[in-house]
Amino acid sequence: CDKCVEHFDHHCNWLNNCVGSRNYRSFFVLVTVVLVQVCGQLCAGVWLLAWVVKNPRGADALLDDTGRFPSHLTRQEYQWCLYCYLLLCLCLGYLVGDLFAFHILLMRRGITTYDYIVQQREERIPGGAAATHQRRADWIDAKGGDVFKSCPCAGNRVGIGDEGDGSSPAGARKKKKVAVSCLGLLFAGG
């Protein structure tokens, strides 16, 4: 988009906008609201499917009402439409949930999406992660401090390529590989 933003996090293709310190909270609220909405749609679909299965006569009577349903669907066709709808909600819920969990992880670690991408690239280059810690410190100094410092869910900060609680010197830490997925985050400890 050729726009510079303060404390750049990432460029969102869906919003066609760069996300940085000024609009990161709005971006995260949007992701959260979309996740809640998809979960609500999933719950409504499950409830409606359960009602159609438990109450076939009522469902048939409702579907036969041409004032409400002019398409003349049978109950079986309507159930299949609900199954497809629920599958779509599950897929969307997984995708949005994964994005939500990924940004929670980034906030807890105190890094940006850009920092995460750079870390992943450097892990593929032999010896590339050796200088990452210094570049991270230089990057934080250049942008005027950690953008997530005041975030309430930031937790312990873990620099790129570091692991531990920050009590040991940076040279004594080991490189930590980062992989993000909903299932991995669900079963991750602490």
Side-chain angles (χ1 to χ4, degrees):
C1 65
D2 293 328
K3 293 180 184 174
C4 293
V5 296
E6 190 176 1
H7 303 292
F8 175 76
D9 185 82
H10 70 283
H11 177 82
C12 181
N13 290 329
W14 297 102
L15 299 175
N16 193 26
N17 198 13
C18 284
V19 177
S21 63
R22 288 186 176 181
N23 62 352
Y24 187 83
R25 284 189 177 144
S26 299
F27 168 77
F28 188 71
V29 167
L30 174 69
V31 170
T32 304
V33 168
V34 169
L35 181 61
V36 168
Q37 188 266 334
V38 169
C39 290
Q41 291 292 111
L42 182 65
C43 292
V46 167
W47 179 86
L48 189 55
L49 182 63
W51 181 80
V52 168
V53 169
K54 289 182 181 179
N55 191 2
R57 287 185 185 165
D60 286 336
L62 187 64
L63 290 169
D64 288 339
D65 184 1
T66 56
R68 289 187 179 187
F69 292 97
S71 61
H72 304 292
L73 287 175
T74 66
R75 184 172 31 91
Q76 289 78 20
E77 291 169 339
Y78 187 66
Q79 282 179 313
W80 278 107
C81 288
L82 285 173
Y83 288 129
C84 292
Y85 175 75
L86 291 175
L87 180 63
L88 178 65
C89 283
L90 282 173
C91 292
L92 288 174
Y94 176 79
L95 293 173
V96 176
D98 197 47
L99 180 64
F100 176 81
F102 176 68
H103 279 278
I104 290 288
L105 179 72
L106 292 178
M107 284 189 282
R108 289 196 56 172
R109 291 189 176 177
I111 63 174
T112 64
T113 305
Y114 179 75
D115 293 336
Y116 174 80
I117 291 169
V118 168
Q119 176 190 13
Q120 293 300 308
R121 285 181 186 163
E122 289 183 350
E123 284 183 357
R124 293 185 188 122
I125 300 170
T132 302
H133 185 70
Q134 183 59 42
R135 280 196 301 266
R136 165 93 173 123
D138 293 343
W139 176 250
I140 288 173
D141 289 341
K143 62 183 183 170
D146 196 345
V147 68
F148 299 111
K149 192 172 190 176
S150 62
C151 184
C153 56
N156 292 334
R157 308 269 189 282
V158 178
I160 297 175
D162 295 341
E163 69 178 7
D165 60 359
S167 60
S168 62
R173 295 181 184 168
K174 298 177 184 176
K175 187 167 92 173
K176 183 175 183 179
K177 191 169 188 169
V178 177
V180 178
S181 74
C182 274
L183 294 175
L185 291 171
L186 283 174
F187 298 109

